Amino acid sequence: MNRLYIVFICLAALSSCEKVWEDDLQEKALDAVRGRYEMTSAVWEGTEPIDIDGDGDASYDYYAELKQVDVGWHPQHTVYNRYGRLDIPYTYCENDHWGGFVILERRYERLEFDIEVVIEGGESRLEFTLPDEDSQLTLTGYGELTLRTDVTFTVIVSPEETREVTGPVLFKFKRIEYISGE
């Protein structure tokens, strides 16, 4: 009878150890992603280079072109335990329909996504669920994310004319502040 008790105690101890192990794997995966981020680059992946600000210098560097437009608010890129949000920059011309001088401003579209930790054996990985199935968010390193998504933005054609452009942009983000688990 004593042996039977010892077997039950050992089985209970082993099953509780497995749960702690899964919690550790989950925490390790989330540690790699949660925090506040800054955008470090954005590359236009369209077939032709773009000239957002109309200065005559077309480029595939969406980030550099965007930085020439200095009117607008600052983005927030934050990832928590179960969800995150990245503000995707684009340009917009508020006064285009007035027929006057064109002035671009920077705006942001908030991209919210869910995070799930998948545990397979002794390993864990993160899966991101985005509202647009054509967008792809990837954890590329500890505290580093890439997002490939289509962006619609306005470019200056002439001082009085703009046009909208839509195409893929690859954004890179790097964590600047860690946020502990909540």
Side-chain angles (χ1 to χ4, degrees):
M1 189 64 139
N2 283 339
R3 288 185 185 177
L4 189 58
Y5 287 128
I6 291 174
V7 169
F8 283 126
I9 290 172
C10 288
L11 287 175
L14 288 175
S15 67
S16 67
C17 288
E18 184 64 29
K19 182 165 178 36
V20 171
W21 178 247
E22 286 183 3
D23 288 347
D24 290 345
L25 288 173
Q26 182 170 335
E27 187 66 20
K28 180 182 175 185
L30 291 170
D31 270 350
V33 73
R34 63 181 165 225
R36 296 190 205 300
Y37 286 77
E38 70 178 356
M39 185 183 307
T40 58
S41 73
V43 177
W44 168 249
E45 294 183 329
T47 56
E48 298 291 324
I50 53 168
D51 181 15
I52 293 176
D53 59 354
D55 65 359
D57 293 327
S59 170
Y60 288 98
D61 190 344
Y62 183 83
Y63 189 62
E65 287 287 325
L66 190 69
K67 287 169 77 174
Q68 298 302 316
V69 178
D70 60 358
V71 177
W73 52 276
H74 297 287
Q76 296 181 16
H77 315 292
T78 310
V79 180
Y80 301 98
N81 276 347
R82 298 286 177 223
Y83 68 97
R85 57 182 173 252
L86 302 173
D87 288 341
I88 308 306
Y90 67 95
T91 53
Y92 180 78
C93 182
E94 182 73 39
N95 64 342
D96 191 28
H97 61 280
W98 296 346
F101 186 70
V102 172
I103 299 173
L104 291 183
E105 63 181 67
R106 204 173 34 224
R107 292 193 176 175
Y108 296 89
E109 180 179 334
R110 180 151 289 166
L111 175 71
E112 296 183 346
F113 56 92
D114 293 326
I115 302 171
E116 182 180 347
V117 177
V118 177
I119 299 174
E120 296 171 336
E123 298 293 321
S124 61
R125 62 182 168 80
L126 296 173
E127 286 187 357
F128 303 104
T129 305
L130 292 98
D132 176 11
E133 60 187 44
D134 292 333
S135 298
Q136 181 182 13
L137 181 63
T138 307
L139 179 67
T140 55
Y142 192 78
E144 296 177 355
L145 295 168
T146 61
L147 171 68
R148 179 174 280 113
T149 190
D150 282 345
V151 178
T152 299
F153 54 95
T154 303
V155 298
I156 296 177
V157 176
S158 72
E160 295 84 24
E161 183 184 356
T162 63
R163 71 180 167 91
E164 282 194 347
V165 176
T166 300
V169 179
L170 176 65
F171 296 95
K172 292 187 179 181
F173 299 91
K174 185 171 184 172
R175 182 168 51 201
I176 57 173
E177 181 184 348
Y178 177 79
I179 297 174
S180 63
E182 298 172 358

